[in-house]
Amino acid sequence: MKDKKVLIVITSHNTLNDGKQTGYWLGEVTHFYHILREAGYEVDFTSPKGSQPPLDQRSYDLRDKDNRQFWEDKRLHSQLNNTIPIEAVNAEDYIAIYYAGGHGAMWDFPSNERLAQLAAQIYEKGGFVCAVCHGSAGLLNIKLANGRSLLDGKTVTGFANLEEKLIRLTKAVPYLLEDELKNQGAIYKRGILPGLARLKTY
């Protein structure tokens, strides 16, 4: 059913400015996926380039129950390895769009005009636009029919400048996400992460 279907967007970008590998963060796909399925929603996966998106290997943790169940499910693994190209997605089929995180999202989410159009169409027909972590980069550059930024006046969060500094990647990314969200009129709120100092560095 169209009113029970959600689109998960996954990055196709795999390289930081310093040449190191990146991609999407596994848990930021699997955790949300399982919540949706338990609530009875159907889920499709899309990416800017379609086909198999690059996994950030730091996120490959099968001790995580959701990751393990997802990764070992052959049907899901096949679906993830064959994401729908954004150009083939119809906004009318979805009640919500969700931008999964991973540093790669900072490159190809905000620069993809078709992706921004899809999000605007879903939002303006009463649907939901949501994101996690670096996936909030997908909220940048979404313009509504009235010409205003989707972010204008909205309270949002996303990967903080402090977090980027702690994992020593401020020069490896194209911009600081917190700054860009604010630049587009968002009211930025940083979450409190008890394990912030233990974040893995590259």
Side-chain angles (χ1 to χ4, degrees):
M1 295 174 59
K2 292 181 180 180
D3 61 346
K4 296 287 285 184
K5 203 169 185 181
V6 176
L7 185 68
I8 293 180
V9 188
I10 304 171
T11 181
S12 294
H13 188 87
N14 67 351
T15 311
L16 295 167
N17 284 345
D18 60 8
K20 292 180 180 177
Q21 296 298 296
T22 188
Y24 71 91
W25 199 263
L26 183 59
E28 292 172 2
V29 173
T30 66
H31 294 178
F32 193 65
Y33 171 84
H34 286 296
I35 290 171
L36 291 172
R37 291 300 295 155
E38 288 172 7
Y41 290 90
E42 294 182 36
V43 178
D44 283 339
F45 300 100
T46 187
S47 64
K49 293 183 179 179
S51 193
Q52 183 174 353
L55 172 68
D56 188 319
Q57 291 299 321
R58 296 183 309 150
S59 71
Y60 182 75
D61 180 7
L62 299 190
R63 296 170 298 178
D64 180 296
K65 180 181 177 182
D66 286 342
N67 285 353
R68 185 175 66 255
Q69 288 182 350
F70 188 100
W71 203 256
E72 294 177 351
D73 185 315
K74 292 182 179 180
R75 180 188 63 82
L76 281 176
H77 211 160
S78 176
Q79 193 178 0
L80 184 65
N81 288 343
N82 295 277
T83 58
I84 304 167
I86 286 171
E87 290 76 11
V89 173
N90 182 357
E92 292 300 318
D93 292 339
Y94 302 97
I95 191 174
I97 182 170
Y98 165 79
Y99 295 95
H103 274 90
M106 298 183 73
W107 279 264
D108 59 356
F109 281 7
S111 64
N112 193 293
E113 293 184 8
R114 175 58 181 157
L115 180 55
Q117 290 170 357
L118 281 171
Q121 290 167 1
I122 290 171
Y123 179 81
E124 294 192 308
K125 71 183 181 71
F128 301 89
V129 178
C130 46
V132 66
C133 206
H134 286 97
S136 296
L139 305 177
L140 300 172
N141 304 324
I142 297 175
K143 297 293 184 183
L144 302 179
N146 61 11
R148 295 180 63 183
S149 166
L150 173 68
L151 287 169
D152 191 17
K154 302 290 195 312
T155 299
V156 301
T157 190
F159 208 75
N161 292 353
L162 175 60
E163 294 175 275
E164 213 72 83
K165 181 178 180 180
L166 286 173
I167 60 173
R168 302 173 186 174
L169 287 181
T170 54
K171 294 182 179 180
V173 293
Y175 51 87
L176 293 177
L177 182 55
E178 177 183 334
D179 289 348
E180 288 304 307
L181 291 169
K182 291 175 179 176
N183 288 341
Q184 293 200 13
I187 302 167
Y188 181 85
K189 298 292 185 181
R190 190 179 76 207
I192 299 173
L193 297 180
L196 194 61
R198 298 192 298 274
L199 287 172
K200 296 179 182 177
T201 59
Y202 276 78

